Amino acid sequence: MDDTEIVKEINRLSEEEHRLEEAHVGEELSPDESEKLRTIEVALDQCWDLLRQRQARREYGLDPDEASVRPPETVEGYTG
C-alpha cells in the first residue's frame, strides 16, 4: 500500500466514522455500532501510524515499502 492508497483509506474510514456518529447525534450507539466505531478508530490509528512510518523511513533514506501495519495494541498504546 503506497501513501496515496493509505490516505484514501484514511478518508474512507473517516467518512464512515462521521456517518455513524452523525446518524446517532443525541442518541447512544447500540453495542454493535459501538464495536464498529471502535474498529474504525483502531483502523484509522493503524493507517496514520503506517503513513508516519513510511514518511520516517523515506526521510532517513530507507525503503518506505518495508513499513508494516502494527498491531492495535501497539498503535493504541501511543500517547499524544
Side-chain angles (χ1 to χ4, degrees):
M1 187 180 291
D2 67 19
D3 292 1
T4 301
E5 293 170 318
I6 296 168
V7 170
K8 285 180 183 177
E9 182 66 1
I10 288 170
N11 289 333
R12 185 191 72 75
L13 289 165
S14 293
E15 288 171 8
E16 188 175 349
E17 178 185 40
H18 289 126
R19 275 194 304 273
L20 185 58
E21 290 172 341
E22 288 174 359
H24 292 85
V25 172
E27 302 174 10
E28 285 191 37
L29 298 175
S30 72
D32 286 343
E33 291 167 327
S34 291
E35 181 61 31
K36 182 175 182 174
L37 182 59
R38 180 72 185 129
T39 300
I40 292 169
E41 290 169 345
V42 170
L44 275 167
D45 288 345
Q46 288 175 308
C47 286
W48 280 113
D49 176 69
L50 180 59
L51 190 59
R52 284 190 289 274
Q53 283 183 64
R54 290 179 56 81
Q55 291 168 340
R57 293 187 66 78
R58 195 176 293 110
E59 182 178 328
Y60 288 95
L62 302 172
D63 184 357
D65 291 333
E66 290 184 10
S68 61
V69 176
R70 293 191 246 218
E73 304 80 37
T74 301
V75 298
E76 294 301 290
Y78 297 151
T79 56

